[in-house]
């Protein structure tokens, strides 16, 4: 996505070209996040950066105009407090007939790198099983720092017939 934005600066005619990109929507902000590890003076800075990340992803998704995407990847420290937003990202990916879905919500900022179970985001399995989420074309699913139980794994296997790769950490 950052390369597409850089390309749009080259010519005004290319300014909105990225909106029609159907490849990989990669929202990996690891570079900026690593800098924050050294610059953050407290939880307030982390909240500001988290809000910036959420706004960035949401703005791109609102503008995106292609009917399908190959991959959706989000990598940033988020938890159950952001469930509504993360659920909307998953619905977006499902509506775009995503083939590869990767959500890494692991902790970047805390020294422990471990969250309490009640803080972890839970995948909206009820929406998948009810048919609200259509992930029938999904071939790869990677979920990191997301609450998933054994029944969820069985649900993924039954609702995603083309699934070749399933990674849960």
């Amino acid at each position: 996505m950052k390369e597409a934005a850089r390309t749009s600066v080259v010519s005004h005619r290319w300014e909105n070209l990225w909106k029609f990109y159907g490849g990989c929507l990669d929202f990996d902000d690891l570079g900026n996040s690593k800098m924050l590890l050294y610059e953050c003076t407290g939880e307030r800075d982390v909240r500001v950066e988290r809000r910036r990340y959420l706004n960035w992803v949401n703005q791109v998704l609102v503008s995106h105009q292609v009917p399908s995407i190959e991959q959706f990847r989000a990598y940033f420290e988020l938890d159950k407090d952001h469930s509504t937003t993360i659920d909307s990202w998953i619905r977006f990916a499902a509506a775009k007939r995503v083939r590869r879905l990767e959500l890494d919500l692991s902790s970047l900022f805390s020294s422990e790198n471990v969250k309490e179970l009640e803080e972890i985001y839970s995948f909206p399995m009820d929406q998948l099983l009810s048919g609200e989420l259509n992930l029938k074309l999904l071939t790869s699913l990677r979920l990191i720092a997301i609450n998933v139980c054994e029944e969820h794994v069985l649900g993924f296997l039954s609702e995603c017939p083309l699934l070749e790769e399933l990674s849960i950490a």
Side-chain angles (χ1 to χ4, degrees):
M1 289 307 303
K2 290 182 182 181
E3 289 82 9
R6 285 186 200 118
T7 302
S8 69
V9 173
V10 173
S11 169
H12 287 290
R13 291 190 305 176
W14 294 356
E15 188 172 11
N16 294 311
L17 193 59
W18 68 269
K19 295 177 183 180
F20 301 97
Y21 177 67
C24 174
L25 295 181
D26 188 349
F27 299 101
D28 181 348
D29 203 23
L30 184 58
N32 288 336
S33 300
K34 279 188 176 178
M35 284 181 13
L36 279 176
L37 285 171
Y38 301 104
E39 296 174 2
C40 281
T41 58
E43 181 62 28
R44 183 186 166 284
D45 293 332
V46 173
R47 285 194 310 266
V48 168
E49 188 63 19
R50 188 177 291 124
R51 191 174 320 114
R52 187 194 66 78
Y53 178 82
L54 294 169
N55 288 339
W56 171 48
V57 175
N58 289 335
Q59 287 174 351
V60 170
L61 299 188
V62 166
S63 300
H64 196 263
Q65 298 181 20
V66 176
S68 65
I69 56 174
E70 182 64 30
Q71 180 177 6
F72 181 91
R73 183 173 184 264
Y75 181 42
F76 201 84
E77 179 186 357
L78 300 169
D79 57 28
K80 73 171 187 163
D81 292 338
H82 307 95
S83 292
T84 303
T85 302
I86 300 166
D87 287 352
S88 73
W89 296 351
I90 295 171
R91 282 192 302 275
F92 169 87
K96 298 289 185 174
R97 301 188 309 257
V98 68
R99 295 199 180 276
R100 295 187 323 259
L101 177 61
E102 181 176 336
L103 299 172
D104 184 343
L105 309 181
S106 57
S107 178
L108 300 168
F109 303 106
S110 70
S111 57
E112 302 168 356
N113 275 347
V114 177
K115 296 179 192 173
E116 296 294 323
L117 186 58
E118 57 272 355
E119 296 175 0
I120 296 175
Y121 168 77
S122 294
F123 192 88
M125 200 55 159
D126 55 335
Q127 294 178 24
L128 180 64
L129 296 175
S130 71
E132 290 178 58
L133 287 177
N134 183 354
L135 295 174
K136 302 265 186 234
L137 298 177
L138 200 63
T139 59
S140 176
L141 177 62
R142 293 190 67 224
L143 303 174
I144 301 167
I146 294 176
N147 188 13
V148 176
C149 65
E150 186 176 336
E151 288 112 21
H152 290 154
V153 173
L154 296 174
F156 291 133
L157 296 176
S158 68
E159 296 298 319
C160 306
L162 301 177
L163 195 62
E164 299 170 357
E165 177 187 352
L166 177 60
S167 176
I168 300 170

